[in-house]
Amino acid sequence: MSPIARLTLLFLALAVGACSSSANSMDSGLAYYDTEPSMEKATTHLSMPGMTVSEANRLPFNLGDGGWEDSVSVTAEPTAFINDFDVEAAETPPAAPATVERLLVYSGRFQVAAGDIDQALDDTKAMAKDLGGYFQSLSDHTITIRVPARRWDEALARVAGIGRILNRQIDAADVTEEVVDLKLRLRNARALGKRLEELLDLAKTVEETLKVETELNRIRTEIERIEGRLQFLSDRVAFSTLVIMFTEAATAPTRLQALPFPWLRDLGLNNLLGLPGGVR
Amino acid sequence: MKALALLLAVLALAACTATPKTDVPEGYVTLPTRGNEVLAVVAPTGNRMVVKRHTNPPEGTLEFWRDAIRNELVDGRGYELTESQGVAGSSGAPAWEMLCSVTRPEGAYLYLVTIRIDRGEVIVAEAGGQETAIRPDLPGLRKAMR
């Protein structure tokens, strides 16, 4: 082989080596690239909204009269949610996990273009009331309402009637595991509290009494904290949160004829940051 | 003589397929690239920057892509264009830079996009993040994206 031919082969090998090296460095695996948020998201939102009484009764624990079906009474009697939990049932491994109903907290954020924002805000308040929910807060052109979870789908459909939806983000957070864990911790804390009360009766010295009372106060605080969290989750499960940000319809974007370059549609924050809400 | 011609062809090929050079902004780490991505980086705050290359038709000018991207973002998506300016690219070739603000229900975001033409390809660099997180990074991102 002539020297020039050898030199050519050497350059070729170097060029190929450089290209493959570059590609390898770019493809080096970083496991956290597509890491999901820590909050477990449900893949479907069909199990909770529109759930019938019989479906609710199949839940792994009994939420009582203040549970799923009558969300208003959940707020009125939060302890029903706490006290009626069947710990024994929760400790029994589910026979068929695929059939276990989940406790889901639904939330949605919409950006809606409306011709008359004041009218749209009034319509949204009326919609919340009509669905059995309530208006929660208003800041500038952003309104937050709570609607019963069982009427969630209906609420989403009715938003489209208020204005033109520019962007939406729907989430369903699964709190089943947290609720089960809290229930078990509550049971243990109550049992410990009861035992400490018995010990308090047996205390003979001031020092013994003080020690037991200190521990008893700690346990009571813990019980209150768990009950508060359960009450909060009960409310979140029963009522879904809907945030709607209104913009003037006149300033709402109007899409031009799409150009035949698909990558243009891939531009933007949603794709770049992995944000929900379609092309935006 | 044939060997020399072959050598020149190989060198020319290597030059044509070379990856456009883009620096990693300070404080960012690289991510695995996908598809036609040249570089993908992320900051601890969640800000991201991605550089992609796309085939450019022979007639495709910087002005064409500037207008196409502006129309897509502003007219198509409702982004608010806060800055739009011609800048000098790292290779000395002209580039165009646009900064948009985007209001989402969860807060305000900034989106920076830089376009340049490089050897028959459109090089598009995008960066975005929540406004409070990305604004301090803008100088470094602008520099890296040009």
Side-chain angles (χ1 to χ4, degrees), chain A residues 126-182:
Chain A
M127 178 185 80
K129 189 177 179 182
D130 191 36
L131 291 173
Y134 57 93
F135 152 73
Q136 187 177 61
S137 66
L138 175 64
S139 172
D140 292 331
H141 293 164
T142 302
I143 186 171
T144 303
I145 61 171
R146 307 286 307 281
V147 295
R150 60 193 158 84
R151 304 192 72 177
W152 178 239
D153 286 340
E154 191 179 344
L156 296 183
R158 288 178 63 168
V159 171
I162 298 175
R164 188 160 63 89
I165 297 173
L166 303 176
N167 181 32
R168 71 174 181 174
Q169 172 188 345
I170 308 293
D171 288 327
D174 190 337
V175 298
T176 312
E177 190 177 341
E178 183 182 0
V179 168
V180 171
D181 179 59
L182 285 171

Side-chain angles (χ1 to χ4, degrees), chain A residues 2 4-5 7-8 11-12 15 19 22-23 25-30 32-34 109-111 142 167 169 243 245 251-256 258-259 261 263-273 275-277 279-280, chain B residues 3-4 6-7 10-11 14 17 19 29-34 37-38 40 46-50 52 54 57 64-65 68-69 71-79 102-106 109-111 122 124 126-129:
Chain A
S2 69
I4 292 179
L7 190 61
T8 303
F11 269 105
L12 189 58
C19 287
S22 170
S25 67
M26 287 174 184
D27 292 340
S28 60
L30 291 175
Y32 49 82
Y33 183 44
D34 282 326
R109 288 174 178 272
F110 283 76
Q111 188 179 8
T142 302
N167 181 32
Q169 172 188 345
V243 180
M245 188 177 74
T251 62
T254 50
R255 180 169 290 278
L256 301 174
L259 292 174
F261 302 103
W263 60 265
L264 286 173
R265 259 84 71 199
D266 293 336
L267 294 172
L269 283 170
N270 284 10
N271 232 5
L272 182 66
L273 303 178
L275 301 174
V279 177
R280 174 98 168 109
Chain B
L4 187 60
L6 182 60
L7 171 63
V10 167
L11 290 175
T17 57
T19 302
V29 298
T30 54
L31 299 169
T33 53
R34 297 182 291 193
E37 290 178 355
V38 175
N47 300 337
R48 288 204 185 202
M49 184 189 94
V50 170
K52 295 178 184 174
H54 308 281
F64 175 87
W65 293 114
I69 291 174
N71 290 341
E72 175 68 27
L73 297 176
V74 178
D75 298 332
R77 316 278 181 88
Y79 284 22
V102 183
T103 304
R104 292 176 57 95
E106 66 270 25
Y109 287 77
L110 289 181
Y111 177 77
V122 191
V124 181
E126 302 173 82

Side-chain angles (χ1 to χ4, degrees), chain A:
Chain A
M1 189 180 291
S2 69
I4 292 179
R6 285 184 183 172
L7 190 61
T8 303
L9 283 175
L10 175 63
F11 269 105
L12 189 58
L14 287 173
V16 171
C19 287
S20 61
S21 169
S22 170
N24 286 341
S25 67
M26 287 174 184
D27 292 340
S28 60
L30 291 175
Y32 49 82
Y33 183 44
D34 282 326
T35 303
E36 289 293 320
S38 58
M39 179 184 285
E40 186 181 351
K41 302 286 185 182
T43 55
T44 174
H45 64 279
L46 297 176
S47 60
M48 183 52 209
M51 183 185 288
T52 63
V53 175
S54 61
E55 286 169 332
N57 288 339
R58 289 204 307 271
L59 290 169
F61 47 89
N62 180 12
L63 296 174
D65 292 337
W68 295 92
E69 287 307 308
D70 187 352
S71 49
V72 174
S73 63
V74 167
T75 309
E77 296 180 9
T79 52
F81 179 82
I82 299 167
N83 292 328
D84 291 351
F85 172 60
D86 184 352
V87 175
E88 299 305 322
E91 288 177 333
T92 305
T99 62
V100 171
E101 297 286 353
R102 312 299 296 177
L103 293 173
L104 301 176
V105 176
Y106 294 96
S107 61
R109 288 174 178 272
F110 283 76
Q111 188 179 8
V112 175
D116 185 340
I117 291 182
D118 289 337
Q119 182 62 49
L121 291 170
D122 289 342
D123 290 347
T124 306
K125 289 178 187 174
M127 178 185 80
K129 189 177 179 182
D130 191 36
L131 291 173
Y134 57 93
F135 152 73
Q136 187 177 61
S137 66
L138 175 64
S139 172
D140 292 331
H141 293 164
T142 302
I143 186 171
T144 303
I145 61 171
R146 307 286 307 281
V147 295
R150 60 193 158 84
R151 304 192 72 177
W152 178 239
D153 286 340
E154 191 179 344
L156 296 183
R158 288 178 63 168
V159 171
I162 298 175
R164 188 160 63 89
I165 297 173
L166 303 176
N167 181 32
R168 71 174 181 174
Q169 172 188 345
I170 308 293
D171 288 327
D174 190 337
V175 298
T176 312
E177 190 177 341
E178 183 182 0
V179 168
V180 171
D181 179 59
L182 285 171
K183 297 284 188 181
L184 288 171
R185 285 167 54 193
L186 182 61
R187 185 196 67 167
N188 291 338
R190 280 175 173 166
L192 182 56
K194 190 177 177 184
R195 179 69 183 140
L196 286 170
E197 284 172 356
E198 292 169 1
L199 286 174
L200 192 60
D201 292 338
L202 298 174
K204 292 176 180 170
T205 66
V206 173
E207 186 182 1
E208 286 175 351
T209 303
L210 285 175
K211 279 184 179 177
V212 174
E213 280 187 340
T214 300
E215 186 62 15
L216 193 55
N217 283 337
R218 190 187 68 78
I219 289 298
R220 282 172 178 161
T221 303
E222 175 70 5
I223 289 172
E224 286 174 5
R225 196 188 64 76
I226 295 174
E227 287 178 342
R229 178 64 182 166
L230 282 169
Q231 183 177 338
F232 172 80
L233 289 175
S234 168
D235 174 67
R236 291 285 144 177
V237 167
F239 281 86
S240 303
T241 305
L242 192 55
V243 180
I244 305 175
M245 188 177 74
F246 288 105
T247 58
E248 294 279 358
T251 62
T254 50
R255 180 169 290 278
L256 301 174
Q257 185 70 35
L259 292 174
F261 302 103
W263 60 265
L264 286 173
R265 259 84 71 199
D266 293 336
L267 294 172
L269 283 170
N270 284 10
N271 232 5
L272 182 66
L273 303 178
L275 301 174
V279 177
R280 174 98 168 109

Side-chain angles (χ1 to χ4, degrees), chain B residues 9-129:
Chain B
V10 167
L11 290 175
L13 181 66
C16 287
T17 57
T19 302
K21 186 178 179 302
T22 305
D23 294 329
V24 176
E26 190 177 340
Y28 284 67
V29 298
T30 54
L31 299 169
T33 53
R34 297 182 291 193
N36 54 353
E37 290 178 355
V38 175
L39 178 71
V41 298
V42 67
T45 53
N47 300 337
R48 288 204 185 202
M49 184 189 94
V50 170
V51 182
K52 295 178 184 174
R53 56 183 177 191
H54 308 281
T55 304
N56 186 29
E59 305 82 6
T61 61
L62 187 61
E63 290 70 28
F64 175 87
W65 293 114
R66 174 198 66 195
D67 293 346
I69 291 174
R70 191 203 69 82
N71 290 341
E72 175 68 27
L73 297 176
V74 178
D75 298 332
R77 316 278 181 88
Y79 284 22
E80 184 185 347
L81 187 62
T82 57
E83 290 179 32
S84 181
Q85 58 188 345
V87 294
S90 57
S91 62
W96 198 271
E97 188 178 88
M98 288 183 273
L99 178 67
C100 301
S101 62
V102 183
T103 304
R104 292 176 57 95
E106 66 270 25
Y109 287 77
L110 289 181
Y111 177 77
L112 180 68
V113 59
T114 303
I115 322 147
R116 64 179 196 265
I117 309 292
D118 187 1
R119 290 189 285 262
E121 290 182 320
V122 191
I123 310 299
V124 181
E126 302 173 82

